[in-house]
Amino acid sequence: MLALFLLILLVFNSQNLVDCMNDEGYALLSFKQAINDDPEGSLVNWNTSDETPCSWSGVTCKQQKVVSLSIPKKKLNGFISPSLGSLSQLRHVNLRNNKLFGSLPFQLFRPQGLQSLVLYGNSLSGSLPFDVGKLSYLQTLDLSQNFFNGSLPISIIQCKRLRTLVLSQNNFTGSLPDGFGTSLVALEKLDISVNRFSGNVPSDLGNLSNLQGTVDLSRNLFSGSIPASLGNLPEKVYIDLTYNNLTGPIPQTGALINRGPTAFIGNPGLCGPPLKNQCDTTASPPSSIPYLPSDFPPGDAGGKGAKRRGLSKGSIIAIVVSDVIGICLVGLLFSYCYSRVCGMRKGENGYGSDKKRKERRECLCFGNDESETLSENVEQYDLVPLDAQLGFDLDELLKASAFVLGKSGIGIVYKVVLEDGRTLAVRRLGEGGSQRFKEFQTEVEAIGKLRHSNIVNLRAYYWSVDEKLLIYDYIQNGNLATAIHAKPGLISFTPLLWSARLKIMKGIAKGLVYLHEYSPKKYVHGDLKPSNILLGQNMEALISDFGLGRLANIAGGTPTLESNRLPSEKLEKRQQDYAPLEAVKVNSPSNIGCCYQAPESLKMIKPSQKWDVYSFGVILLELITGRPPIVQVDTTGMDIVHWIKLCIEEKTPFIEVLDPYLTQDGDREEEIIAVLKIAMACIQSNPEKRPAMRHVLDALERIGVSSK
């Protein structure tokens, strides 16, 4: 009887303890009961003895009401309890990268103030409930990397404040709802790739004028023609339409102009520029790309025939002038509207005080306390993958062994070895500076989209107020500068054979042609030099540090180009004659870097592709001569470009110019001289006389063919 009495007393006391908990706690305890496995103990402090759940892990309250539930990457196994729908003030749900399964309960969409729902990287299935349309305050919906199916409910177009919609890597089917582009005009990010969406690409997608980065419609079943209205999207937006069933000509309008073929591959029915297959089979075949003459006569790089194709000079000038005027008018209009509507002081960027964040939200027309975007802030302080096959997270990266590879004006580069043995290269951009996250995000994600066998892949990035990291593939054979000249103090050195050098030259040229001709925005590297040409497992060339100066500038660092420039008066003096510079001054790192910069780069703000051509020519000279960028002449130093020109003027014997390590390749002298002629064309002082990289590659590809 005593034992029974004690048991009844215990149950009574336990009931009293539970009874003291509010309704919010009951709802979250139901969620906990739906979790079958919590291997990391993320919910261990969810105790029934607490009056409110506000002190529980992953729970944020406001006025004793739950406003946020954020438990990412904790390996939670179970399903999402419908009880979450009873949290009336719930604003943010972030359960990404767990092991949740089952369907989304429609009750989850009852809290009409819900602003972000982030569930990517789980095993959720079923369709998206029609009730999603009730969330008039929803700004972020990320359901990617799950098993959702069915079509998008038409009610989603009622979420007019939606800014981020990511549904990639699911099994969604059907066409996009009517009015998708007309209604969701606030969208900034749209990724519906790797699904089974079908039908036509909606023409009203061109109305989404706030989109940034990449609009990813790739790997679906879209059919029909590409609507010309997609050209109305912002010019900086990259439109990925690869691997669908699209047909017909590619419209040459707005944002679709000058896109490389990589945006359209995998659609056999598409035709017209930039693809090789022409739409009209009765038309005369296109002229082949002209080859550079083998001897590159000055002033005729690319041939005179190239001048007869395309628009007239007057038409080009008219187009450029009208574009400049249009851009200026749009810029002035945007600045005026921004200053009137936002009323933000110069320098406020949304990462400062609470007052500043509130002002920023008011500018975005969500100017009340309910518009706080906690989940978005969390995402900015995490590792952001740019490759679906990344396979590691921030915790693994921070736990890994790290070794310093090198230091520069743009930060330290580390070799990082993960626990599973994989090796990465991590560049640390800095510990502070300007907090322009959105601009950084757009730039780094555009760079992350570039994929070429001769360009180092950017795999991920990390951004926080105090830290910015770029994560690349680790390239094991070092850089070209070391391969040519060896490391200082290194006892053993294996020089490159001519065949290996020629392979490296062709690899660099292929990478530059991709950047110049086939990348989404026809990029310019702007800082090409042997130290950022890495050598892969088979000694293939990989161009690195592309876009690094721009990213460092946004993140608050020092742009590469600025640190590598000489004062213009020094450059002008060098152009007037071949007078050698003082050895002490020349051998400073910044001056050595300047040897690869085109002469006009000191006088022009906007980089030109001809800058890269000049830098490539200097690299060719180093590979041929084996000399460093500053050549010692008697007791002074002279940059390699003026040294080689002086040697030609003085008719120096070729054997004295050639790298001594290449003397054993005497039977390849004809090839070496051919490359020297290419280099001399590339380093022309007048950028108009330099050949385009595609012509340079054509000429290089012909070298060595007969000897194979």
Side-chain angles (χ1 to χ4, degrees), residues 273-506:
L275 302 178
K276 293 182 179 179
N277 50 319
Q278 300 299 305
C279 295
D280 186 0
T281 56
T282 63
S284 58
S287 302
S288 59
I289 296 176
Y291 287 107
L292 274 176
S294 59
D295 55 352
F296 291 98
D300 194 29
K304 296 180 180 179
K307 296 181 180 179
R308 291 194 294 269
R309 293 190 295 273
L311 299 172
S312 66
K313 184 175 180 180
S315 299
I316 293 174
I317 293 174
I319 291 172
V320 171
V321 170
S322 61
D323 283 349
V324 171
I325 294 174
I327 291 171
C328 291
L329 289 176
V330 171
L332 289 173
L333 180 61
F334 177 80
S335 300
Y336 173 78
C337 294
Y338 188 79
S339 61
R340 289 293 302 272
V341 177
C342 298
M344 294 179 66
R345 296 184 301 274
K346 184 177 180 181
E348 294 183 354
N349 48 40
Y351 285 84
S353 64
D354 294 338
K355 180 180 179 181
K356 290 182 180 180
R357 287 195 293 267
K358 183 176 180 181
E359 289 175 358
R360 183 173 182 266
R361 292 196 299 271
E362 288 172 352
C363 175
L364 296 172
C365 302
F366 298 97
N368 53 42
D369 293 338
E370 296 179 345
S371 66
E372 189 171 311
T373 53
L374 296 176
S375 64
E376 287 188 359
N377 290 340
V378 171
E379 295 300 310
Q380 293 175 12
Y381 289 80
D382 203 351
L383 187 71
V384 181
L386 300 172
D387 187 341
Q389 307 298 322
L390 192 65
F392 65 91
D393 57 21
L394 181 62
D395 292 336
E396 293 177 74
L397 186 67
L398 295 178
K399 294 176 183 177
S401 302
F403 311 89
V404 176
L405 285 177
K407 299 180 181 180
S408 70
I410 300 187
I412 304 175
V413 182
Y414 298 88
K415 175 183 177 181
V416 174
V417 183
L418 301 178
E419 290 182 352
D420 60 3
R422 281 181 298 171
T423 308
L424 304 166
V426 178
R427 180 178 287 276
R428 187 180 182 193
L429 286 183
E431 299 180 353
S434 177
Q435 309 304 322
R436 297 180 286 171
F437 172 74
K438 283 291 185 181
E439 189 177 356
F440 184 92
Q441 181 186 43
T442 300
E443 195 76 17
V444 77
E445 290 186 359
I447 294 172
K449 279 283 184 181
L450 301 178
R451 289 291 183 267
H452 189 270
S453 57
N454 295 108
I455 296 178
V456 178
N457 291 331
L458 177 59
R459 295 296 188 186
Y461 70 95
Y462 172 83
W463 171 286
S464 73
V465 175
D466 299 318
E467 193 77 83
K468 290 92 182 168
L469 305 175
L470 300 175
I471 295 91
Y472 298 87
D473 288 335
Y474 174 74
I475 310 302
Q476 59 190 39
N477 283 325
N479 61 53
L480 182 58
T482 301
I484 300 174
H485 308 298
K487 285 185 177 180
L490 191 66
I491 299 176
S492 61
F493 173 59
T494 304
L496 292 172
L497 298 176
W498 173 250
S499 58
R501 300 187 194 207
L502 188 59
K503 177 182 177 180
I504 291 169
M505 296 172 191
K506 293 178 180 179

Side-chain angles (χ1 to χ4, degrees), residues 46-84:
W46 288 28
N47 298 318
T48 57
S49 58
D50 297 326
E51 292 184 7
T52 72
C54 298
S55 61
W56 294 355
S57 298
V59 178
T60 303
C61 294
K62 191 171 186 179
Q63 297 178 352
Q64 303 301 310
K65 294 289 186 179
V66 176
V67 295
S68 174
L69 177 63
S70 181
I71 315 175
K73 298 190 299 184
K74 297 300 181 182
K75 302 178 182 178
L76 297 179
N77 185 291
F79 61 90
I80 297 177
S81 171
S83 64
L84 293 183

Side-chain angles (χ1 to χ4, degrees), residues 140-356:
T140 300
L141 179 62
D142 192 339
L143 305 179
S144 57
Q145 300 178 41
N146 280 286
F147 299 100
F148 289 109
N149 53 42
S151 58
L152 280 184
I154 191 172
S155 62
I156 197 171
I157 67 175
Q158 301 301 320
C159 303
K160 297 184 183 297
R161 295 183 178 180
L162 196 61
R163 294 193 293 177
T164 298
L165 178 61
V166 183
L167 305 175
S168 59
Q169 300 185 50
N170 279 287
N171 294 312
F172 285 109
T173 57
S175 58
L176 295 180
D178 291 338
F180 186 89
T182 307
S183 301
L184 302 181
V185 292
L187 271 181
E188 297 176 1
K189 182 174 184 179
L190 176 62
D191 185 354
I192 58 173
S193 61
V194 196
N195 277 287
R196 298 170 60 196
F197 286 113
S198 58
N200 294 331
V201 175
S203 59
D204 61 0
L205 286 186
N207 295 328
L208 303 178
S209 58
N210 290 312
L211 284 174
Q212 304 172 10
T214 297
V215 178
D216 202 339
L217 309 181
S218 66
R219 299 186 184 275
N220 279 289
L221 302 174
F222 287 115
S223 57
S225 60
I226 299 175
S229 58
L230 287 187
N232 297 331
L233 293 175
E235 189 174 346
K236 289 186 177 181
V237 166
Y238 178 67
I239 306 170
D240 192 342
L241 298 170
T242 56
Y243 298 101
N244 280 284
N245 295 322
L246 299 170
T247 57
I250 298 172
Q252 296 299 298
T253 58
L256 292 171
I257 295 178
N258 296 328
R259 297 300 181 196
T262 53
F264 308 102
I265 60 175
N267 294 279
L270 287 179
C271 58
L275 302 178
K276 293 182 179 179
N277 50 319
Q278 300 299 305
C279 295
D280 186 0
T281 56
T282 63
S284 58
S287 302
S288 59
I289 296 176
Y291 287 107
L292 274 176
S294 59
D295 55 352
F296 291 98
D300 194 29
K304 296 180 180 179
K307 296 181 180 179
R308 291 194 294 269
R309 293 190 295 273
L311 299 172
S312 66
K313 184 175 180 180
S315 299
I316 293 174
I317 293 174
I319 291 172
V320 171
V321 170
S322 61
D323 283 349
V324 171
I325 294 174
I327 291 171
C328 291
L329 289 176
V330 171
L332 289 173
L333 180 61
F334 177 80
S335 300
Y336 173 78
C337 294
Y338 188 79
S339 61
R340 289 293 302 272
V341 177
C342 298
M344 294 179 66
R345 296 184 301 274
K346 184 177 180 181
E348 294 183 354
N349 48 40
Y351 285 84
S353 64
D354 294 338
K355 180 180 179 181
K356 290 182 180 180

Side-chain angles (χ1 to χ4, degrees), residues 55 68 71 98 135 310 401 499 536 551 594 676 688:
S55 61
S68 174
I71 315 175
N98 282 293
L135 304 179
S401 302
S499 58
L551 292 176
C594 181
L676 179 59
E688 298 299 323

